[in-house]
Amino acid sequence: MKVTGLILDFDGVLGLSAELAWEAATRLCSALGLQVSISNTRELREALAAAAGEMHAGAAGGATLREMHRLAMRSRGSAIPRHGALLDLLASVRAPRAIITAGYAETAHRCLGEHAASFRFIRGREIARKPALLAGARSGDFHGALYIGDTVRDIHACREVGLPVCAAGWAGAYDPPEKLAQAQPTWLVRSVGELAALLETLNLLS
């Protein structure tokens, strides 16, 4: 397989945002009168759906709460810890790099600061949903791109558009490695060291 570019997810990959995401969702639900404990993606989705149910808002209400959660994360973008070891590795990659996130691109910009300039583009919810962004990115330098994501949804979205995917099952990822493995990504890595070995095999490191 010839890989000529990298497209990375943001949350759980470049930005280790999970703990802030659980906190933001807990506060949002609390403001709506629902006391919950959130520590993973499943609980986050269930809590927002339950909050929408309490408001008798249905699916549309759930989507609105998810958008409010994205906005809350955008406001705290500068507080999201960067994955420094991954950024150091990417500095040695001799291929174009980009970011496609299900959240707001502005969140990634706020987190990454000066590092954002090392990516060809950063695209997010401001433009479209992630599957459409992935499909649209497969042109030019990113025709032969590899996507690096950390959720089962990332794996399924890449499969739909024929994009190879490396699942990042390291600490800080939104889905655990066991769950990622069950979704059968093209590759699965559990550390930045394992990703470095994969990129070396793909002839992407200088």
Side-chain angles (χ1 to χ4, degrees):
M1 180 181 295
K2 177 71 171 175
V3 174
T4 57
L6 295 180
I7 303 176
L8 297 96
D9 187 22
F10 172 69
D11 290 294
V13 178
L14 287 160
L16 302 179
S17 60
E19 293 302 321
L20 287 175
W22 314 148
E23 179 187 335
T26 299
R27 289 187 177 187
L28 178 57
C29 289
S30 179
L32 297 170
L34 184 64
Q35 303 305 314
V36 293
S37 176
I38 299 172
S39 60
N40 57 55
T41 305
R42 177 184 57 79
E43 290 175 353
L44 184 151
R45 292 177 181 140
E46 289 178 352
L48 295 183
E54 288 289 325
M55 297 186 300
H56 305 286
T64 298
L65 292 180
R66 187 71 182 90
E67 201 65 22
M68 291 173 66
H69 184 257
R70 290 189 184 96
L71 289 168
M73 293 301 293
R74 185 177 69 175
S75 72
R76 302 196 64 187
S78 60
I80 295 173
R82 303 168 184 168
H83 198 318
L86 177 57
L87 288 169
D88 289 343
L89 172 62
L90 292 176
S92 300
V93 171
R94 57 165 180 261
R97 300 173 298 281
I99 297 171
I100 288 180
T101 173
Y104 284 103
E106 180 61 23
T107 308
H109 276 286
R110 292 182 180 186
C111 169
L112 296 174
E114 70 278 7
H115 294 282
S118 66
F119 296 92
R120 188 72 59 85
F121 59 77
I122 301 177
R123 295 174 184 165
R125 189 71 175 188
E126 297 95 329
I127 300 175
R129 294 167 62 91
K130 182 181 280 188
L133 293 173
L134 289 173
R138 297 199 63 197
S139 61
D141 289 339
F142 293 96
H143 176 71
L146 167 67
Y147 189 77
I148 302 175
D150 69 316
T151 68
V152 169
R153 286 191 173 191
D154 288 337
I155 297 169
H156 291 165
C158 287
R159 186 174 295 134
E160 287 178 8
V161 299
L163 194 67
V165 56
C166 174
W170 50 54
Y174 276 64
D175 282 343
E178 297 78 13
K179 187 174 181 180
L180 294 169
Q182 291 174 358
Q184 299 182 325
T186 316
W187 292 283
L188 171 65
V189 298
R190 290 176 168 81
S191 68
V192 172
E194 289 186 9
L195 177 59
L198 172 61
L199 297 182
E200 180 70 34
T201 299
L202 295 173
N203 197 32
L204 292 176
L205 295 184
S206 57

